[in-house]
Amino acid sequence: GDSVTQMEGPVTLSEEAFLTINCTYTATGYPSLFWYVQYPGEGLQLLLKATKADDKGSNKGFEATYRKETTSFHLEKGSVQVSDSAVYFCALEGVYGGATNKLIFGTGTLLAVQP
Amino acid sequence: GAGVSQSPSNKVTEKGKDVELRCDPISGHTALYWYRQSLGQGLEFLIYFQGNSAPDKSGLPSDRFSAERTGGSVSTLTIQRTQQEDSAVYLCASSYDRNTYEQYFGPGTRLTVT
């Protein structure tokens, strides 16, 4: 079945460091890809998305490019801040049984940014 | 506007008791999803509603789990005869329709079965 694999955490960085969180997927068809973020004590929020190959999603300085040839959707940010500390989830959404657009999530990666 | 709301925010129950978890989706959103977030299993899909019908119940872990949606709005997830392995955060999400890619998540209900 469809699945998402993302790098294990925790990832600990100093402020202003470059961030990469790797995400690869296995899917039949052409799913949409997402990064969700969960800040401490808060609910899941959509960070960015890409709906087709070569699309780049971007938001709040984060970027990810949908790479069909490598089945990847790696999350990057050029200069992280302490406020970026959170758990990041990579997810795919496909149509299942012709009816469901359910999300399939990776295991999440905890990012801790130190001042 | 108002987001997805869930109640209660926390629920502690004894093993064997039944619990009901409620989700109020964003007004006008026809698609509603339940997910579960647990330490051992990560984030996993439970059930999907389009309007009041549930075309995909494939993620419900056992027949102790059921859900309904009324009036195309509020949804209730019921767990009968709770077990300790049911302890998790139960998340609800809604989207405008099933072809809209963004799902908006509620804050979740943390269920603890003692």
Side-chain angles (χ1 to χ4, degrees):
Chain A
D2 294 0
S3 65
V4 174
T5 303
Q6 62 182 103
M7 61 189 287
E8 299 246 351
V11 173
T12 303
L13 296 173
S14 297
E15 207 163 22
E16 299 183 1
F18 184 85
L19 168 72
T20 300
I21 300 178
N22 290 336
C23 171
T24 57
Y25 68 91
T26 301
T28 54
Y30 304 97
S32 297
L33 301 174
F34 303 82
W35 278 99
Y36 278 84
V37 59
Q38 189 171 34
Y39 297 104
E42 298 185 15
L44 274 173
Q45 303 174 25
L46 178 66
L47 179 61
L48 53 84
K49 67 183 181 188
T51 57
K52 61 183 187 296
D54 300 324
D55 268 3
K56 177 185 282 188
S58 61
N59 185 27
K60 300 182 181 180
F62 291 88
E63 292 183 340
T65 301
Y66 188 163
R67 301 284 188 202
K68 182 169 174 287
E69 63 275 13
T70 55
T71 62
S72 65
F73 193 55
H74 305 319
L75 183 67
E76 296 182 336
K77 187 175 185 183
S79 176
V80 294
Q81 306 299 313
V82 172
S83 57
D84 294 327
S85 298
V87 180
Y88 292 81
F89 293 90
C90 185
L92 68 82
E93 182 183 63
V95 178
Y96 300 92
T100 310
N101 288 53
K102 64 186 176 187
L103 289 167
I104 294 175
F105 288 91
T107 52
T109 301
L110 174 64
L111 170 65
V113 181
Q114 299 175 335
Chain B
V4 178
S5 60
Q6 293 185 245
S7 61
S9 55
N10 279 285
K11 176 72 176 179
V12 179
T13 190
E14 292 180 353
K15 178 181 171 182
K17 300 284 190 184
D18 297 352
V19 295
E20 286 189 351
L21 312 179
R22 177 187 168 105
C23 171
D24 281 273
I26 293 172
S27 178
H29 280 195
T30 62
L32 186 147
Y33 305 79
W34 284 97
Y35 295 86
R36 180 168 72 171
Q37 186 174 21
S38 58
L39 282 177
Q41 301 298 322
L43 266 161
E44 52 182 348
F45 166 82
L46 297 178
I47 187 170
Y48 156 70
F49 286 91
Q50 181 61 41
N52 291 335
S53 63
D56 190 345
K57 307 178 183 180
S58 63
L60 294 178
S62 75
D63 58 9
R64 296 186 295 105
F65 287 72
S66 63
E68 65 174 12
R69 188 179 185 196
T70 55
S73 182
V74 171
S75 176
T76 303
L77 177 69
T78 301
I79 309 173
Q80 296 179 309
R81 305 180 303 280
T82 52
Q83 304 294 313
Q84 287 187 333
E85 61 263 28
D86 300 334
S87 296
V89 177
Y90 289 82
L91 297 171
C92 177
S94 70
S95 67
Y96 181 68
D97 61 44
R98 73 174 186 90
N99 294 314
T100 301
Y101 298 106
E102 182 164 356
Q103 295 181 23
Y104 296 84
F105 282 80
T109 294
R110 181 175 296 278
L111 175 67
T112 304
V113 182
T114 61

